[in-house]
Amino acid sequence: REGLIPPLIVASGTVFGEVLVWGAVDDGKTLSKSIKLWCENSNSSTVSQTRVRPAHRLVGHSGSVFGVKLCPNDASFIASTSDDRSVRLWRLRPANGTALDTERKLLLSARDVIDRQHSHEYTLFWTGWGHTARVWDVSFAQLPHVSELIVVSSGEDGTARVWNPLQSDKEMTPPLRGHRCESVWSVDVFESLVVTGGNDGTAKVYDLESRLRSSMTPEARSFAVPKDPPAVTESVDDSDIPSKKRKKKKKKAKSGQVVCGMEFYSKGKAEHVLVSTRKGSLYSLDIDGDVWTEHKKWCTIKGSAIDPSTGNCMAVHPRRMKAVLGTTDGWLVQVPLDPWDKSADTRVAYKSCHRPTQSVSFSNGMLVVLYARAVVLYDCENLIPVNTLSSTTPGIPLSFALEKDARMYVGDSRGNITRFELGQESGKEPMILSRAHEKEHVTAIRVVQGLVLSVGNDGCLTRSRNTADGGLQRLTSVPIANATGLRNIFSGSESLHVALGGYYGNEFFLIDNKSGYEFLRQDTGGRQRRQCFRTGFEEGNPQSYSLAILSGLKDGTNTINLHKTMVDTKANKYNIGDVMHAEEINDLCWIRGVSTTHLITGSNDCTVKLFELRGKQLNFISDLPPHESCVRGVCASSHLGSDDCSLLVTAGGKLSMEFYLLHSATSMVSSLCSYRIQDKSTIDHRMNVVRAIPLLPLNGLWKSHLVLAGDSDGKLHLVVVGETPTLRRTTVGQTLELSGRPILTIELLRVGEEILAFVGTTGGEVALFRLPARLISDARNETSAKCLGGDLSGPDIIIRAHQSGVNGLSAALIDSKVIVCSVGDDQCLGVLVFDVHIGEDVTIAKHVKRHQSASAQKSVKVVSQNNLCRVYTSGHDEMLCLWLFDVDDTTFFQLVASSPACTSGCAMDTIQGEKGRELIAVGGVGLELHSFVWLRCKPQ
């Protein structure tokens, strides 16, 4: 009846590998009476409690049980996941081991299970092995067209897996991948939608019904390629020749069918596959009708002696029913594909002086042919050469992107990209971007919004651009996780949001580059097999795909295995939330542009991410190239009145630093150079912090920045970096010695012609270095920071500011005083007041310390307004605090506001937001934005 507590089954997992099950039944009291009774006794110290022993104890896991779920439609099933990497299904059975056939088909409710708790017990029914790490969560799925029980699990291997325990111990579909992180913490199913949540801060949505539909059919539809017709050979009459003088006929080894081309094409609404062989045969397959059509031999051209055994590539025109085949000896053959169109029954052949033909493709109304040492553009109608572009690199052309009547980009087998000018600028020398993909094959190129996107066998997506002086500059090269090689770039519109096709071993995959969501993964049986792939896009996302894989059989024949399906048709929004870091954020920094604001973050997961602030929302822009080890520090530096550009610096393991230039208006990031020490470093040596500040230029033209980083050996690394890319990919700097204690924090402040560098160590010390703020020579011609001049030997002042490590420093200049705020492991907030006079020594005037919390403080930021300073602090107490400090009256140091921050508060930065408020970004285990309404005057 309404108001009664329904019968409940409670299942819980333990660290001892057990699943405990209780049954609870309401004793007749209504729900309102039970709640009222509990409320009346809740304030009493003696609230009646009843200890109930578990009705069932399920033993079988060999590790801690992390997830337990009761089947919603049949309480006789319980699923569990564990530290032992297994998914287990338990079923309620009679204790005597026998069960009636009618009972096996019953769907038991919670009341039914409770009534059977003395005569039945849960026993292990099924175990699923497939996860390669701990399994966190499990859920049941109920689909209308599937009567079997479906279980979905998620684990630490970054995947969710679908099982059918009643039918098999194998997975029903390929693993669901989409998170750029190690752990998929949770999984749930609603109707046919599977939703997973990972430690990258996002949720992914999968259409289980469509994935099952393709997996429940045979793995692939197989089509046997028709055999080549027997070759006609002329017989020679040698009866007049004596038997002893007759030449013995050599037995020819039986050669199998060799396919030289395979491509998809559309005829009306039907999808076809065209296959050509080295015997001259040409076949087309109607996929839906499962019908092969034999065309006239492609090598039969009047007046042309074409050897079909030299065929090696083929392309089909995207709109017209014709194909072009290329041979290794330079022939191009154009053949019609519509036998009913007599007007199109014209064959054209052309033999080029270039050879061998590597590939043929149609692009922008042109036929593009890649040869071993040249690229030739042909007229599609008559196969007449229009433009010949000679290769200027040692590599063999493999891929291209053609901008209509403008430029052509060609990637080769040595990792280079060459830009050729077409049209009126065709006389210019080609521009070469060397080692865009190191020395690996460049497999695909695409031009989107002025950027040149390329992928290669190095597994990286490289962004390049054309510079104002006519050059070609590589911006960034970001590796794609779990990719041993990339092959395709797909996009339905002129958007930087692209999908990438590539390989992980022999498995072909299709992923969303921005979110990491995986649409498809298919085992090809070998990367060297001939394959063709095409996908359909809708609103920039792939909605369908077709993958044909050619397999040779032992008898010499060939089979096409076709995989075709729709992709997640119900999951219109497959990614929820912006991609965040999978581990703790160590540092972050705001970047103020002319009209935009960005945030850069670095994390223990070795990644660096760039966000853009739009309104009050952070939007993920792109990943920067990851470090080999954890990223400990990030910073930015901008010249006043600059052309909306900022220097970005990231630092981390192996004492490495990377330097980039951010163009704020376009959110474009370009790589400048890297910093490597000359001595060999290990993975344990790392940069703990890095800060940068603009330098006063020598001649007013070259903009440069001073970068100061502190490492785990107690050394400071000083580097001068300009905003102009140089030919050198690495730079060196100058090393300054301190006390030998690891350096945790640095703050830079320019005062006149000097830069004050405050450095905090694990010993609780704050050291002050005075560095020149103006260059004395052109840093582009120097190999270190010697262009600064001056004495850079040691610190001017060392102060014991804390009892233990100094975790954060922040400084502000007010008149002739410098206010330095510090926080440390001793749970204190300290303020140092320095008297600064240009050209004279710096002296400390005051040291004020306040106890703040019961846990270590990690970051601090001071914002000055007249003589009143606002000081923000955060730490392991997960509180963001606002303090007020009066420079003239140092006795006034007051906590005025605080706000919960659900992160560890490892990093913090502020920026001026809307209506004069500071916007505070707090990073740690996640990222939060805060804003305080502060008073403009001292509280009374």
Side-chain angles (χ1 to χ4, degrees), residues 689-734:
V689 61
V690 64
R691 292 294 180 262
I693 192 170
L695 288 169
L696 299 174
L698 175 65
N699 50 21
L701 298 177
W702 190 65
K703 296 177 181 179
S704 59
H705 303 259
L706 172 68
V707 180
L708 194 63
D711 67 20
S712 54
D713 291 335
K715 297 179 181 179
L716 287 171
H717 301 259
L718 189 149
V719 187
V720 174
V721 181
E723 295 184 2
T724 305
T726 61
L727 296 178
R728 292 174 57 92
R729 291 199 174 187
T730 60
T731 184
V732 294
Q734 186 170 344

Side-chain angles (χ1 to χ4, degrees), residues 219-245:
E219 277 194 6
R221 296 173 59 191
S222 296
F223 303 92
V225 179
K227 295 181 179 181
D228 292 313
V232 179
T233 58
E234 296 181 359
S235 60
V236 179
D237 185 9
D238 56 357
S239 59
D240 297 335
I241 303 174
S243 59
K244 291 183 178 180
K245 295 184 178 181

Side-chain angles (χ1 to χ4, degrees), residues 554-630:
K554 291 183 178 180
D555 60 359
T557 61
N558 290 282
T559 299
I560 295 177
N561 297 321
L562 179 68
H563 304 265
K564 181 178 179 178
T565 187
M566 301 297 290
V567 179
D568 291 348
T569 54
K570 294 184 179 179
N572 295 325
K573 189 172 184 180
Y574 53 83
N575 181 75
I576 301 174
D578 279 328
V579 178
M580 292 297 299
H581 294 281
E583 296 185 30
E584 191 172 64
I585 296 175
N586 291 318
D587 202 4
L588 54 83
C589 179
W590 286 109
I591 308 149
R592 171 73 80 180
V594 175
S595 59
T596 58
T597 300
H598 291 84
L599 181 73
I600 183 174
T601 59
S603 168
N604 278 339
D605 63 1
C606 308
T607 64
V608 181
K609 297 185 183 296
L610 182 68
F611 300 86
E612 183 180 353
L613 180 66
R614 299 172 184 168
K616 297 181 179 180
Q617 183 72 29
L618 281 176
N619 294 275
F620 173 70
I621 299 298
S622 64
D623 282 296
L624 271 64
H627 279 247
E628 190 173 352
S629 183
C630 61

